[in-house]
Amino acid sequence: MTRLLLRRLRDLLVILVVVGTMMFFVIRLIPGDPALAILGPTARPADVAALRSAMGLDGSLWEQYLSWAGHVLHGDFGSSITYHQPVLGVVLEHIPPTLTLAVLSSVISFLLSVAVTSWYAVSPRNPLARALDRLSALGMAIPDFWISLVLVLVFSVTLRWLPSSGYHSLFTDPVQALPALVLPLVVLVIGQTALFVLTLRESMLGELPLAYLRTARAKGLSESRVMLRHVLPNALMPLITQLGSNFAMLVGGIVIIESIFVIPGLGHLLMGAVSTRDFPLIQGVTLFVALLFVLVNLLVDLSYAAIDPKVRVS
Amino acid sequence: MRRNRTLVLAAGALGLIVLIVLVLPVFLPSVSATDPVHRLLPPSAAHLLGTDSYGRDVASRLVSGGRASLGLSALITVCAAATGLVIGLVSGFFRAADAVLMRVMDAWMSFPAIILAMALAISLGASLWTELIALTVIFTPFTARVIRSRVLAVASRAYIGAARVSGMGRWKTLLVHVFPNVLPLALVQVVVLAAAAMLVDGAMSFLGLGIAPPTPTWGNMIAEGRSYLVTAPWLVVVPGVTIMLCVFLLNLVGSALRQAVDPRARTLHELQRLRTRTT
Amino acid sequence: ATQNSGTDGPPVRGGNLTVAVPTDPQSLDMVANPGQVTAQIGNMMYEKLFEVDRDFTARPMLVDNYTTSQDRLVYTFTLRKDVTFQDGNPLTAADVVASLDRWRKAHRTGQLVSPDIDSITAGDPHTVQLRLKRPRYPIIDELASPGTEIYEAKNLAGLPATGFGQDKAIGTGPYKLKSWDIGQQLVLQRYDGYKSRSEQDWGGQAGAKHAYLDTVTYKVVADQDALVNGLQTGQWDHAMPTNDQYESLKANPAVVVHNLPGGNENVIIPNFTKGSRFADPRARQALNLLLDKPAINAATGGSKDLTIETGAFASPDNKSFYSTAGEDVYRQHDPARAKQLLAEAGVPAGSTVHIVTTNSYPEFGKWAVLLQDELSKIGIQTKIDTYDFATMLGTLTKDPAGWDLTTLFFDSALTSPAQMPALTLGTLNGSSSAELDALLAQFNASTNADQAKSTVDKLQDLTWRQLSVITLSQSRLYAAYSPRLKGYDNFYRIFWNSWLAP
Amino acid sequence: MALLELDRLSVGLVTEHGDRELVHELSLDLAAGRTLCVVGESGSGKTVTALSIIRLLEFVAPVRTSGQIRFDGEDLTGLSPDRMRGYRGRRLGMIFQEALDSLNPAQRVRRQLVECYPRHLREQAEAKARALLTEVGLTDTERVLNLYPHQMSGGMQQRVMIALALMSDPDLLIADEPTTALDVTTQAEILALFDRVRRDHGTACVFITHDMGVAAQVADRIAVLYRGKLVEIGDRDEVLTAPSHPYTRALLACVPQLGVSRREGFPTISEALLDKGEVATETLVLPPHEHPVDGAPLVVDGVSKVYGRSGRSLRAVDEVSLEIAPGEFFGLVGESGSGKTTLGRMISALETPTSGTISFGAHRCTPKGLLGSEREFRRATQLIFQDPQSSLDPRHTAARIIAEPLRELIGLRGSELDSRVTELIAEVGLPADTAGKLPAQLSGGQRQRVSIARAIAAEPSLIVADEPTSALDVSVQGQVMNLLLHLRRTRTLSLLFITHNLSLVLSVADRVGVMYRGELVEVGEPEQIRLAPRHEYTRRLLAANPELPRLPEPGLLNR
Ligand SMILES: Nc1ncnc2c1ncn2[C@@H]1O[C@H](COP(=O)(O)OP(=O)(O)OP(=O)(O)O)[C@@H](O)[C@H]1O
Ligand SMILES: Nc1ncnc2c1ncn2[C@@H]1O[C@H](COP(=O)(O)OP(=O)(O)OP(=O)(O)O)[C@@H](O)[C@H]1O
Ligand SMILES: [Mg+2]
Ligand SMILES: [Mg+2]
Ligand code: NI
């Protein structure tokens, strides 16, 4: 266990270095720079250059990189060019909304997909279970902004049940936070659940013919218990992988959802930073997304070990 | 036998869509001819599916957009599924490769996709090929990870040891014993990828990284129609429903194919059928 | 939607107004950040020596009165005496000098005006002297233009080009910064020490200001759908949605929809740089002949209410700059002739025109598509590259000859040529010319409105002859807001003198 | 009244080409507290019958049943799935044939054992689990409770399976070859346990076995199945001493007995003779040694295997040294969990030893892995896995599985390959239609023979056979043994034959080794082991070997 953790820590560092470095150079490859973005189309090249230098963007790429890397090593992620604030603070401020959405939607989709799939597995003849199972693939094919807008039109604009947008912290202001979270969560959950159901169904089907289920049934366990306690845990691995990857993607940016529901999250921040070419901020966000991503994957790997003893032993 | 009927029906329907998409545009007027006077017309006899904000005929755009959408989605799916499958198989089966490959995948996945796509599109120029490369690059690690997790489970089964005793090489074992066991999962991934590709294409166009306008794709039709969701809902509904239909059909074909490649699934199918009939 | 009439009743003090803005202001320094949102929030916080009224005419604000020397080279401004900054410090001449010096150095308009300025000096704590090298007709208008806000001198010392942070965002206006959650919302709060001018409200940004609202909250809402939905559900009280949304909002009885003065000049910009397909004037003429402007406007304008079919670079509301010169060129439409001219200019059928545009404003992409369609009708092919705004600018400047056309829009309520991108676009597309410079000098040398107006006509005419930009139309802006918002002057995001009906 | 009554039970498999009958009109009954042994040919439908009684077959195969299964007067075939579930566990318990596959690979033993108890009774359940594990001879209860199935030896798995079935004190216990993976001492304990359970709870038992000795020990009545039909049922003594059906008689005649050498071949049942109703056994006459015995010996030198990390480590094999000459038949017996399989896996280089080396000709297995060409090594050495089910790819047909070494190691292709596969299928006594079946569609014995056919296909010079005949009836067992003996006569073939069947190994091996707790405690010739065992454990083994009651002379059988 400790060995795994140590190894992961090493991997984490490697990934952060690689991603940070790649990002540093990649964003500078894309035409356009922050000075130009601020000064606009009629700016004189000299002014652009002056502003650029005031932003610390003169000097060769390597010099810039080394200076940035040096600062990062000392825990200094620089200052956002557009917001004039330390990157760390800006990023930390934008993490909670994204994390709230990502965690909640992942958990809900996970539970929901497990419920739908097991229900169908337990009672394949129930028409509703069957329909849910069959139609789940459609969930993936629904454009998320489309379903968002429809839901907002119905539940916010017409029925006035839920706010059409906004974000409040779940911890400091749960009464306002919950209603505002409902619609974005629903949208995220629809797409993810569809994906999870497909994955899980496939992997559960793979378990069904295995002999250990016979034993479970011979104990007189109910069919639901057989599915939930025996088939499911054994079939969970691909789903958990899927969950991990998806979570990573959510953390990296639910841009559309965040913008439709006006949620100040990381995706929104990143998009904004890209459009203003706020290099330090882009780099900072990227490093944090990578960090979250690796941590999530560590969790995923640990849960592999919890689920499949053979993986743990070897 | 029911299995075959679904397969035939679903595959036939998909085939029909492909055929329409391939053949019909030849007989349709230009998809880029604008006609501002007749913009945002609801579906009517003259314009079966209405017109868009430029006054272009949605039906002909839908049909010709299918070319790019289906073609692109098929290419992306094939490329991403194939590379993901190979990487997943190799890294799940060969411990030594795993450490390296999975870390590469991790780094790859934790790199924000938008920026990756932008960098690619700008360095290579936005085109169908850029989009293909960008989406393949973005989707591959997801497939790879899912496949790998199944490979890990399969690799610990005793019959893998038995294959070794039978003198089968590691690579061949991978192909003969491991691959068929992950194939059903790979088929699911194909459906997932195809759906995602058709939709993401719209987002890419929105970022200016996709197929250049006015060439229609279902994805960018949805993206363009977005601002008219209330006033001209058909602009979004029509391509959206088309995508859903294709995904649904693909899903059907996928599960039917799974039964075809997996003898055990066939038995299961029979079983389910018996169970649903008796009692 | 009901129109806001004069029957708003007596003002009510208190309450919070929530306003949706499309982006975070990012910086509250109006010199370092010329962005729209920054300007609109800044106008609530800061004040200039002069401010524009509803007709975009400059009126004194921090200046009590001023005198002009006979030779029109020396302006002496007497400042109002009772004005204090939001941190309690009194406004002094030193503050004005420091602020204007920075404007000359760091702001685009200031830089353009600067060569004419000899010095800006403080006489006594309440007088400021501006000496010019040569007479400059629009100088008062320019002192009412964005970038000339008066900040405290102590806050400006040693500032980097990137501007000041929110701790120094202190002005003399009726509202001051209360809180700012980056990317999320910004809250302004009434500045209780504000001393209003005594005049009747001149409208616009000028005249008496009464802060009835306790707070004004600016919410960052980038997404258009979210903007409209939130407006309908009462998440915010005021928004300026895109023109696409106009008709449906107008039909909605729960919101008030009203036009704003001024608007945008929508332009197609041909590249003059050698190597571009439009370097040859005939090619530009051809382009103008080709474009079916009414059709393009119909397909992109959102509503007839919002489109003014004019080739002018200023809005009709901007009386001193609105000119109908060159209107005949604007209205020309002859695709056949266009084809012929293009061929003469070395752009035969079958060539490819490279359009670089951005998706940051939906209209741009649409113009590009329509343009493409019209070009294709005369056998010219097009390659459209659509990028986000920053990338587009980067692409345009990185390879000055690598593009043929681009699309932009400009504010049409600007009050001097130095502020007008349409006239200062030379850095972007290489359209500067001696003739233009001479006309600009001529304008600055005007002594009265009539003279100035006749130069404006020449400038407008020159634009249509050179075709440094091809104007498609003017779009009017509009605000959509809750019927509870009373006393609102329908002037952008100016909310003093406004209140919320209980 | 009988507790269990089968009334003309038929089980048919639904296939695309109509139904195929697996069990035909089976009628029998069993009173409470009694034990019915079911013996019979491998693949004759014993497991199918057992699974039909508890109605678990319908979950894994599309079947149609007709006839009645009356349990306590209630016809089980007509029950709703819910009501049927109520019978399972508490009233009907089952021990499955292949233990490894029948345990959930992802759950610890503890969880699997206590699962059928409601939550508030968990402590009670755990106490009971401990007691049962001790009773089945897994005295190291704490460790065992915390193991996952793949961490246990075959015997341990089987005992856990037994404990599992006994957890809820069923009224009827269906035990499908419950002791095949157990050494005879442990088997004796288990049989005693069954007896105790039967006395204490009045549990009736359907006991499926291939071991006539075991049947003789536990049965009240014996039923004999042949090709899906019940050919004989009666009291134990009657069936064993005066069998009426020729098949039964032949079966009994094939049972190996201590002290009877079978080195020249085993008797088997000839179907042709059986159909004629004559003496149905025949004994193959092996060809004489017709070739010089050459090749390299297998040398195991001080090999140990330690599982787990320091702290909770386990020495599965402890400093074992051993040499098997070319052509030698080396039998390895020993306590369950004593490290036999582990040793076999190390010899076949599936597992690397923690210390020591194993050399076979030019090949050497060391802690660093296998040195030299793996392909050559595989050609020379083959392994028959202890648990056939999990060692067969569930997606491959029997023919494909058998063809694998032929392709990979010999390079056969096309029709040559097909004909060799067909040959091999016949050689191990499988019906020809086995070729196209998937492992899940085969009986336990059939799977085991597929696994044997795979191992002998490449004509290796060393076979590590890990209990290759445990699931086979005596006749088929004879057939397989004959095959191995035949191979040994025609070529140089060394055998490391791991088994629990003392009678079998002592009647045929050249030398026999006894393992106990990871160590090789005794090696000697069969006669020496049988008559003059040196180690205490060997003596216990011999004492516990179940024997048939003295059989009437063969002549009598032919009457
Ligand atoms: N799931 C299945 N699908 C198809 N055929 C099956 C299935 N299970 C068993 N059979 C067939 O039914 C027959 C009887 O099998 P069964 O398992 O009952 O034999 P058995 O008497 O238990 O043999 P053994 O002693 O070898 O275990 C075999 O020929 C086998 O091939
Ligand atoms: N992968 C493993 N991890 C941990 N312990 C193991 C593993 N495999 C086997 N063991 C342990 O090693 C010991 C020897 O097991 P092995 O399978 O060699 O016994 P065996 O002699 O073959 O027994 P049986 O006759 O019951 O098959 C057992 O105590 C078992 O629990
Ligand atoms: Mg059996
Ligand atoms: Mg063993
Ligand atoms: Ni069928």
Side-chain angles (χ1 to χ4, degrees), chain D residues 41-48 97-98 176-177 208 210 442-447 471:
Chain D
E41 196 195 17
S42 168
S44 58
K46 302 184 292 294
T47 302
V48 166
Q97 196 167 0
E98 262 117 351
D176 194 356
E177 311 195 14
I208 300 170
H210 286 304
L442 297 173
S443 79
Q446 288 166 339
R447 280 194 284 263

Side-chain angles (χ1 to χ4, degrees), chain D residues 55-56 93 142 202 229 248 310 317 337 375 388 400 405 417 460 531:
Chain D
R55 278 189 52 194
L56 284 175
E142 201 43 55
K229 292 194 188 106
T248 319
S310 53
V317 172
R375 196 181 134 95
R400 193 155 170 212
L417 180 66
L531 301 173

Side-chain angles (χ1 to χ4, degrees), chain C residues 50-361:
Chain C
F50 298 88
E51 295 282 3
V52 293
D53 65 11
R54 198 183 285 118
D55 301 321
F56 301 100
T57 312
R59 304 272 199 154
M61 177 48 73
L62 292 177
V63 164
D64 198 13
N65 54 64
Y66 73 98
T67 56
T68 315
S69 68
Q70 206 63 56
D71 54 6
R72 292 184 295 121
L73 286 180
V74 185
Y75 290 72
T76 309
F77 304 111
T78 310
L79 304 180
R80 279 163 58 210
K81 300 232 161 42
D82 50 355
V83 177
T84 55
F85 282 100
Q86 289 149 0
D87 60 1
N89 295 333
L91 168 79
T92 65
D95 297 322
V96 176
V97 172
S99 301
L100 294 181
D101 277 344
R102 190 162 83 106
W103 168 67
R104 286 175 62 186
K105 274 202 236 68
H107 194 272
R108 178 75 181 127
T109 312
Q111 288 163 349
L112 289 167
V113 177
S114 193
D116 283 357
I117 298 181
D118 180 46
S119 67
I120 303 176
T121 48
D124 63 65
H126 292 285
T127 46
V128 174
Q129 226 169 44
L130 170 70
R131 289 174 187 282
L132 297 175
K133 290 181 186 153
R134 50 193 153 270
R136 187 172 176 91
Y137 172 75
I139 187 72
I140 295 299
D141 288 316
E142 280 158 351
L143 287 177
S145 73
T148 59
E149 296 71 26
I150 307 304
Y151 307 106
E152 266 185 278
K154 69 172 165 69
N155 282 343
L156 300 179
L159 273 189
T162 50
F164 55 70
Q166 49 169 295
D167 54 323
K168 293 181 178 169
I170 295 169
T172 60
Y175 283 89
K176 62 180 184 183
L177 181 64
K178 180 180 182 210
S179 69
W180 185 4
D181 297 331
I182 283 186
Q184 205 173 342
Q185 64 174 25
L186 186 147
V187 184
L188 296 183
Q189 176 182 28
R190 180 191 303 116
Y191 168 45
D192 288 320
Y194 182 74
K195 301 281 182 332
S196 172
R197 286 186 75 99
S198 56
E199 293 86 359
Q200 272 302 293
D201 184 3
W202 281 324
Q205 289 164 212
K209 302 179 184 176
H210 302 286
Y212 298 121
L213 296 160
D214 290 341
T215 52
V216 179
T217 302
Y218 296 85
K219 282 220 180 273
V220 180
V221 183
D223 188 83
Q224 277 306 312
D225 301 303
L227 192 74
V228 170
N229 291 328
L231 200 57
Q232 295 178 355
T233 56
Q235 308 255 115
W236 28 86
D237 307 303
H238 181 281
M240 289 168 58
T242 57
N243 292 359
D244 275 336
Q245 313 283 358
Y246 180 77
E247 295 285 357
S248 65
L249 283 172
K250 210 172 122 187
N252 187 336
V255 277
V256 182
V257 172
H258 199 287
N259 280 332
L260 303 180
N264 291 327
E265 174 196 11
N266 302 321
V267 296
I268 307 272
I269 302 175
N271 189 0
F272 283 47
T273 316
K274 207 163 151 37
S276 152
R277 304 227 174 258
F278 295 99
D280 188 311
R282 285 170 297 184
R284 299 198 290 273
Q285 281 167 24
L287 186 64
N288 182 46
L289 287 171
L290 178 67
L291 292 176
D292 183 356
K293 295 169 196 102
I296 294 179
N297 294 334
T300 56
S303 163
K304 281 223 177 319
D305 290 7
L306 298 175
T307 311
I308 309 170
E309 302 266 346
T310 174
F313 45 59
S315 149
D317 299 332
N318 185 0
K319 299 213 167 59
S320 49
F321 270 87
Y322 177 65
S323 162
T324 49
E327 206 73 352
D328 51 331
V329 185
Y330 167 74
R331 298 203 188 281
Q332 285 170 355
H333 177 56
D334 186 351
R337 174 89 186 110
K339 184 173 184 176
Q340 190 187 342
L341 268 175
L342 268 177
E344 283 170 23
V347 188
S351 1
T352 303
V353 165
H354 185 190
I355 304 177
V356 176
T357 182
T358 170
N359 44 34
S360 303
Y361 304 94

Side-chain angles (χ1 to χ4, degrees), chain D residues 328-401:
Chain D
E328 185 178 34
F329 190 125
F330 190 92
L332 189 62
V333 296
E335 195 190 22
S336 166
S338 59
K340 303 181 297 294
T341 298
T342 309
L343 181 63
R345 286 174 64 88
M346 286 192 289
I347 290 175
S348 41
L350 279 182
E351 202 104 53
T352 52
T354 311
S355 65
T357 49
I358 297 163
S359 30
F360 182 59
H363 312 284
R364 288 163 65 77
C365 303
T366 68
K368 285 202 201 72
L370 179 67
L371 308 180
S373 149
E374 171 144 4
R375 196 181 134 95
E376 287 300 308
F377 177 77
R378 297 293 171 206
R379 267 202 84 149
T381 315
Q382 282 289 315
L383 171 69
I384 300 172
F385 286 80
Q386 179 169 12
D387 189 89
Q389 165 123 9
S390 56
S391 73
L392 305 178
D393 189 332
R395 280 161 213 267
H396 285 196
T397 59
R400 193 155 170 212
I401 290 167

Side-chain angles (χ1 to χ4, degrees), chain A residues 313, chain D residues 143 147 150-156 159 181-183 307-308 314 316-317 334-343 351 386 466-467 498 500:
Chain A
V313 169
Chain D
R143 181 175 88 94
L147 290 180
H150 75 279
Q151 292 172 315
M152 298 190 291
S153 78
M156 294 165 76
R159 283 178 283 170
L182 300 181
D183 62 279
Y307 281 118
L314 176 92
V317 172
E335 195 190 22
S336 166
S338 59
K340 303 181 297 294
T341 298
T342 309
L343 181 63
E351 202 104 53
Q386 179 169 12
D466 199 351
E467 312 204 9
I498 300 169
H500 289 304

